[in-house]
Amino acid sequence: MNSNSLAGAPHAHDQDSVPRLMSAVLLAILPATLYGLVLFGWPALNLLVVTVLVGLACEAGCLWLAGRPIRSGIMDGSALLTGVLLALSLPPWAPWWIGAVGAGFAIVVGKQVFGGTGQNIFNPAMLARVMLLVSFPVEMTTWLEPHLWWSGTSPGLLEGWLITFGHSTATDGVTGATILGYARTELGMNHSLSQILPGHYQAGAAALGWTGGSLGETAEWLVLLGGLWLLWRRVITWYIPVGMLGAMLVLAGGFHLLDPQRFADPGLHLLSGGLMMGAFFIATDPVTSPISSLGQVVFGIGCGALVYIIRTWGGYPEGVAFAVVLMNAATPLIDHYIRPRAYGRTWSGKPRPVPARAKQPPPLARKSGVDSRD
Amino acid sequence: MRLHDFRGGVHPPSQKHLSAGRPIESLPLPSRLYIPLQQHAGAPALPVVAVGQQVGKGELLARAQGATSAPLHAPSSGRIAAIGEFTAPHASGLPLPTIILETDGEERWAERESLPDPFELSPEEVARRVGAAGIVGMGGANFPAAVKLSKARQAGVHTLVINGAECEPYVTCDDQLMRERAGEIADGIAIMLHALQASHAVVAIENNKPEAVEAMSDACRHDARIEVLSLPSRYPAGSAKQLIQLLTGLETPAGGRGTDTGLLVHNVGTAYAAHRALRHDRPLITRIVTVSGGAVPEPRNLEVPIGALAADLLAYCGGVSDERARLLMGGPMMGQPLPGPQVPVIKGTNGILALTPDEIGEASAPSPCIRCGRCVEACPMGLLPLELSKRARGEDWEGIQALGLNDCMSCGSCAYVCPSHIPLPQYFAYARDMLAAQRREEQKARRTRELMEQRQARFERQERAKAEAAAQRRAAKKPRTAVLEADED
C-alpha cells in the first residue's frame, strides 16, 4: 500500500526520540539555570549565551566539514545541551573567552573528532571544564557571592557587558571562595572544621543555593528536583545517581564518624559543588556511561568515590569533572566485563543446566471447590 | 503455582479494546481459497489432488512429507481450480506453491469416520490423529503439533502449559476463543494431557483478559489437573521461553528445548483444534483471526477458512480507510508486513491489521546510537542489542555469534524502545541471512572437496585395479612370457 509497507517489525514504537530526551534534560535543568541567572545577573547570562552559541557554531562547522546533514545534527539538541551544561559548571562571571574556548573544545575535541554524537568517550562538557581548570586556574576559581539580579549590588547591563567582554574583573568586595575551597585551604593550615565552618557554611543556605559557586550548581534542591523529574519521566535511570550519591554518603559519613574535625559531614559534601549536578545531569550522559544497569551502578559508585577522594586528598577542592572523566575512561572496561546474564546461559556463556527439581511437577494451587486455597 | 519474573520486556499500548469482546463471526465463504503448501515449519505438504477434481469439505488436499510436516485439508467443498504459485504471506511477496480451490458454496463435508473415545486410544494414536488433522502451533510458530506432543512425551514432560497470554497488541482471537469456547478448550487440554501422559496443565492468561480467565476457570473447575493462572501483562510474556520462566523460574538452556524444563507450551487455539479433531473428526480448516487497526472501520474477530485472502477479511470489516495504512499479518511487534491485501490466511495467522502511520509511530530516520542502554534493559534474553547491531554493521560475523545472535528471538522489544529509531531486528535478520549464506557456501565447498576426494580415490582404485589385473594377466601368462621378462630385465 504505502512505500513503507516493507519495513520490518516491530511496527510500534514508544515514541521517544533523541531530540525528545535532550529537550527533557534541558527542561529539567531550566529551573537551576534560571536561578543561577537570578543569582549572578547579566554577566552570567552573557556567558551562557556565548557558550551555547559557540558550541552550536562549532557543531555546525564540524558537521559541514564531515559532509553530514547539519540541520538534523543540530536539531538533536546534544550540542545545545553540552553548551548549557558547560556554562552551568563555569564561574558565573568568567570572561567570554573562557566560555568560547571551553565550548569549542567540548564540541570539536570532546565530541566531533571521535565521530560526533554517540561516538565520544568523554563527556564533552566535563572534558572542557577539566581543560579550562588546568589551563586557566585563576579565571576558573574566581567565585563571587550571590547578588540578586534586581538588587542594587548586581551589575547593570553595561557593567555586566564589561565584566564578560571587557577587562573589568570582579572586585574583591564581591568575590569569595566556595566552601569546598575555603575548607580545603583552612584544613591545610591545620585548622579544625569546628573552627572553619561556622560563619562560612550553613546547611540551609547551601541547600537553597544562597552561596557562591558555579553558575548552575548552587541550588542543589532545584537540581535535585530536575533530576527526580527526569527519573519520573524515565529519561534517566536511578542506577548512576544512586550509586554516585550513595558512595559519597557512605564515604563522607564513614570518615566523618572517624574524625569529625578533619572530615566534613556528608551533608556538606552533598550540598556543595557540582555533586548533585554531576549525579543527575553529567554522569548520566548515556554516551559515556556503561550500557548495563549493573555497570551503571559500578560507574556511579566509582564517580562518587573519586569525587570524595579528590575533594579530601586531591590537589583540587572540587572533583566532579575529574571523577566523571576518569570513569568515562573506564566505561569500555566496565562494559567489557559487566554484561547481563543471557537467558538460558551461565555467566560464562555456557548453556545453563536445568536443576534436577524441574523433573518434578510444580505444586498446583488448590482449587476452590476441590480444596481450599491456602 | 507461584509466579516468577522474566527479564526486560516492554509495555506497548495493548489496543485490544478495538476488537475485544466482539463475538466470533464467520466470514462469508469466499469464491476462491488459496492454500499454500508450506504453512508450517518443516517440509511442504505434497498435493494428492488433481486440477479439476471435486473435493468435499475437510478432504485431504496434500499430505505431510517427512517427519516434520503437516497435511492440508479442503476448507470447503468445491473444485481444484489450479495448483500453481501464489503470493506468500511474507514481506517479500514472493510466490509459493499453492492449491487454489474454487468453492461451490455447498459446504458439503467429506465422509467422516465414527470416532472412538480419545481416552481409550493410546497416546501415540492421539498424537497421530492430531498430526493427521493438520494441526500446527496456532500461536504463529506453525510447528506441527503432533511432533511436539510425541517428542515431549518421550522427554517425560510433566506439565502442559496452555498459552493464552496473547501479549501482542491488537490481537484478541485467543481472548475471544477462550471467552466463547472454553469448554471445548478444556476438553482439548484433557486430550493433550492424555497424549502427553502428563500430570498437570496450566492455562496462562495475561491479566488484561479477565473475562477469558473467568471463562477458562469455570470450564476447568471440574478437572483438578488444570490450573488457570492470570499473568502480569508485559510483552513478551507469551513467548514460550519467557512463559516457562514466569511459571517456574526455570530457563530453557541455550541451544536446548523447552521440554528440558519438564514443560511443554501449546497455544489455546491448538487445544481447541485438538478437541475438534479428536471429538468431531474435523481437520484444521478454519481459524479465528482478529481484523483490527486504526485503518479498519469495524474491527472484528472472524472465523475464517484457511486460504481466504486478507482482502476478503478487510472487505468484511469495512475496508481500509487510510490508504497510507500498513498491512500486517500478526501483531505489530512481530507481525509480517504484507506486500498487499491479496495474500492468504494460513494456519498460524492470528491477526490481519491495517495500522495508520500514527499508530506505527513517527517515521523518523534512524539517528546515531547514543548508547543509552534501553535496548539492553528491554531485551528479555539478556543480550546487548546495540553491540549486536554494531557487529552486523561491521560485518563481524564471528563477533556477532559470540555475543549471542542465536539467542535472539526477534521479539522487537529493543527497537520498540530505541530513541534513535535504529531498526535493530533488521540488522539481526541480515546477520542471520549472511551467516546462513556463509554456511551454505561452506557446505558447498565441503561437498565439492568430498566429491573431488572421492573422484581421486576412484581414479586411484581404478589404477590399482588395472595394475592388479595386468599383474594377474602377466601371472597367468607367465610360462610364455618368462623368457621375455627375463630379457627385459
Side-chain angles (χ1 to χ4, degrees):
Chain A
M1 295 210 132
N2 68 349
S3 56
N4 270 339
S5 64
L6 289 186
H11 312 277
H13 196 271
D14 72 0
Q15 304 286 320
D16 243 340
S17 66
V18 175
R20 271 182 216 211
L21 295 182
M22 297 292 173
S23 4
V25 177
L26 281 167
L27 198 60
I29 202 67
L30 190 65
T33 311
L34 292 177
Y35 182 83
L37 295 181
V38 164
L39 224 53
F40 302 114
W42 285 107
L45 181 63
N46 294 339
L47 185 66
L48 178 67
V49 170
V50 166
T51 310
V52 165
L53 287 184
V54 171
L56 288 175
C58 287
E59 176 94 350
C62 286
L63 289 171
W64 178 74
L65 277 177
R68 296 197 189 170
I70 295 176
R71 207 183 116 79
S72 63
I74 293 285
M75 291 307 281
D76 78 6
S78 58
L80 179 62
L81 183 61
T82 298
V84 170
L85 288 177
L86 175 63
L88 296 187
S89 76
L90 296 176
W93 286 15
W96 67 273
W97 53 268
I98 284 280
V101 169
F105 188 83
I107 296 296
V108 178
V109 179
K111 179 172 156 192
Q112 289 292 346
V113 292
F114 289 98
T117 303
Q119 300 292 319
N120 48 303
I121 296 172
F122 301 104
N123 182 301
M126 287 304 102
L127 199 65
R129 188 183 181 183
V130 165
M131 182 278 287
L132 292 171
L133 192 58
V134 172
S135 312
F136 311 108
V138 177
E139 288 80 0
M140 287 298 288
T141 51
T142 305
W143 309 105
L144 63 148
E145 299 298 323
H147 301 272
L148 280 181
W149 199 331
W150 49 84
S151 73
T153 53
S154 181
L157 179 58
L158 183 65
E159 205 183 332
W161 185 264
L162 285 174
I163 287 172
T164 310
F165 298 98
H167 297 285
S168 159
T169 45
T171 53
D172 277 348
V174 291
T175 61
T178 61
I179 179 61
L180 287 172
Y182 178 73
R184 159 167 215 88
T185 318
E186 293 289 305
L187 279 171
M189 294 188 281
N190 281 327
H191 294 155
S192 68
L193 281 173
S194 56
Q195 294 170 292
I196 301 169
L197 291 183
H200 280 93
Y201 169 74
Q202 287 104 28
L208 285 176
W210 191 252
T211 59
S214 301
L215 207 169
E217 295 177 352
T218 51
E220 260 69 26
W221 68 281
L222 286 176
V223 177
L224 179 65
L225 220 60
L228 292 177
W229 182 73
L230 286 183
L231 272 177
W232 175 70
R233 281 279 321 270
R234 293 170 189 262
V235 172
I236 59 171
T237 47
W238 59 265
Y239 310 114
I240 291 174
V242 168
M244 191 162 169
L245 297 177
M248 173 57 86
L249 195 68
V250 168
L251 282 174
F255 279 99
H256 181 67
L257 283 180
L258 281 179
D259 185 355
Q261 288 308 316
R262 176 149 157 56
F263 300 104
D265 64 285
L268 184 144
H269 276 289
L270 289 177
L271 296 177
S272 317
L275 185 71
M276 210 57 89
M277 179 72 89
F280 286 101
F281 289 90
I282 307 286
T284 50
D285 168 21
V287 176
T288 55
S289 59
I291 50 177
S292 66
S293 43
L294 183 60
Q296 289 174 8
V297 172
V298 170
F299 177 87
I301 291 175
C303 285
L306 280 174
V307 172
Y308 186 75
I309 290 167
I310 293 169
R311 280 183 181 182
T312 312
W313 296 286
Y316 287 89
E318 171 59 312
V320 170
F322 290 106
V324 169
V325 167
L326 279 171
M327 287 311 291
N328 286 162
T331 293
L333 197 67
I334 295 176
D335 273 343
H336 184 78
Y337 285 108
I338 302 185
R339 289 178 179 177
R341 185 179 65 77
Y343 177 102
R345 291 186 185 275
T346 60
W347 283 100
S348 61
K350 303 264 186 310
R352 192 177 194 223
V354 174
R357 72 183 158 87
K359 306 300 173 209
Q360 302 300 318
L364 285 179
R366 310 249 155 66
K367 292 191 178 195
S368 54
V370 178
D371 203 335
S372 64
R373 210 173 271 270
D374 48 26
Chain B
M1 194 183 266
R2 192 172 61 86
L3 279 181
H4 299 255
D5 198 10
F6 68 89
R7 176 186 201 288
V10 293
H11 291 100
S14 89
Q15 304 289 30
K16 291 184 189 277
H17 64 273
L18 293 172
S19 55
R22 301 215 173 219
I24 297 169
E25 293 173 55
S26 285
L27 179 76
L29 187 65
S31 57
R32 279 184 165 220
L33 297 172
Y34 301 80
I35 303 136
L37 294 176
Q38 173 88 70
Q39 39 181 303
H40 45 259
L46 199 67
V48 295
V49 288
V51 175
Q53 186 179 332
Q54 293 289 332
V55 292
K57 191 172 181 177
E59 194 173 324
L60 186 69
L61 293 182
R63 64 177 169 80
Q65 219 185 168
T68 305
S69 183
L72 298 168
H73 301 82
S76 185
S77 60
R79 193 180 67 89
I80 304 298
I83 301 176
E85 305 228 295
F86 195 74
T87 318
H90 181 265
S92 67
L94 291 172
L96 263 185
T98 301
I99 297 176
I100 300 169
L101 175 68
E102 221 167 56
T103 58
D104 56 17
E106 290 173 21
E107 299 272 35
R108 174 177 44 81
W109 279 93
E111 275 174 42
R112 286 187 283 155
E113 290 179 52
S114 65
L115 285 175
D117 179 359
F119 299 104
E120 313 245 299
L121 297 170
S122 69
E124 292 87 349
E125 177 61 14
V126 174
R128 192 197 65 76
R129 282 172 185 249
V130 165
I135 299 174
V136 301
M138 305 285 282
N142 300 326
F143 195 83
V147 181
K148 262 172 94 173
L149 286 174
S150 307
K151 288 210 168 129
R153 184 170 46 79
Q154 286 152 17
V157 157
H158 51 69
T159 302
L160 169 67
V161 179
I162 294 296
N163 188 349
E166 203 167 49
C167 58
E168 273 274 11
Y170 292 91
V171 181
T172 56
C173 58
D174 290 348
D175 182 10
Q176 206 53 38
L177 186 70
M178 289 187 284
R179 290 195 206 190
E180 294 187 25
R181 302 177 190 174
E184 288 89 334
I185 296 171
D187 184 59
I189 295 171
I191 292 169
M192 287 167 102
L193 279 176
H194 177 58
L196 280 171
Q197 295 291 295
S199 54
H200 293 75
V202 176
V203 184
I205 305 168
E206 275 194 354
N207 59 13
N208 57 8
K209 293 179 266 296
E211 297 87 354
V213 173
E214 205 185 315
M216 286 308 298
S217 302
D218 273 353
C220 300
R221 184 148 287 146
H222 64 276
D223 194 335
R225 298 171 302 169
I226 310 176
E227 183 183 1
V228 179
L229 270 181
S230 166
L231 309 175
S233 301
R234 175 159 45 117
Y235 179 86
S239 148
K241 283 179 173 165
Q242 275 61 39
L243 192 53
I244 287 175
Q245 197 177 13
L246 260 175
L247 295 175
T248 62
L250 298 172
E251 296 172 20
T252 306
R257 293 172 192 284
T259 51
D260 293 345
T261 59
L263 277 74
L264 176 70
V265 182
H266 266 299
N267 183 264
V268 278
T270 314
Y272 177 73
H275 159 83
R276 298 281 295 163
L278 272 292
R279 295 286 191 189
H280 306 285
D281 195 28
R282 300 294 201 214
L284 177 59
I285 53 172
T286 65
R287 70 153 296 140
I288 319 291
V289 180
T290 298
V291 186
S292 185
V296 175
E298 301 153 41
R300 286 191 164 102
N301 299 300
L302 299 179
E303 182 151 21
V304 177
I306 304 298
L309 296 181
D312 299 331
L313 279 67
L314 288 165
Y316 185 70
C317 296
V320 176
S321 62
D322 186 338
E323 61 177 15
R324 298 166 304 158
R326 190 181 293 179
L327 287 186
L328 300 179
M329 182 170 283
M333 293 302 288
M334 288 185 77
Q336 289 276 1
L338 295 179
Q342 304 294 324
V343 166
V345 164
I346 57 172
K347 292 173 180 176
T349 306
N350 51 9
I352 296 288
L353 306 183
L355 301 184
T356 62
D358 281 351
E359 291 175 290
I360 293 166
E362 53 192 334
S364 53
S367 57
C369 170
I370 56 164
R371 292 177 29 91
C372 63
R374 287 188 178 191
C375 55
V376 179
E377 198 146 13
C379 179
M381 298 304 284
L383 305 176
L384 305 174
L386 79 167
E387 292 292 333
L388 287 166
S389 79
K390 268 183 212 161
R391 300 296 187 286
R393 280 175 72 124
E395 317 230 317
D396 172 8
W397 306 129
E398 269 158 41
I400 198 169
Q401 288 184 93
L403 279 171
L405 175 71
N406 294 337
D407 292 347
C408 167
M409 48 182 198
S410 307
C411 70
S413 298
C414 50
Y416 178 79
V417 295
C418 178
S420 296
H421 296 257
I422 298 170
L424 293 147
Q426 271 91 303
Y427 278 112
F428 309 153
Y430 170 66
R432 280 198 198 94
D433 284 356
M434 293 305 283
L435 282 165
Q438 218 174 49
R439 270 197 298 276
R440 271 198 304 277
E441 279 301 307
E442 277 164 18
Q443 217 164 15
K444 208 166 136 187
R446 199 168 51 238
R447 187 77 189 124
T448 310
R449 203 167 50 241
E450 274 171 19
L451 287 174
M452 282 298 290
E453 281 166 4
Q454 282 169 4
R455 180 166 176 267
Q456 195 64 35
R458 197 170 64 239
F459 280 168
E460 280 168 16
R461 222 168 34 240
Q462 282 173 354
E463 288 299 312
R464 219 170 27 244
K466 271 187 200 162
E468 276 169 19
Q472 272 173 9
R473 259 200 318 278
R474 272 200 300 271
K477 291 177 185 168
K478 200 160 194 171
R480 276 194 291 148
T481 55
V483 182
L484 267 172
E485 271 177 300
D487 281 353
E488 272 169 20
D489 289 344

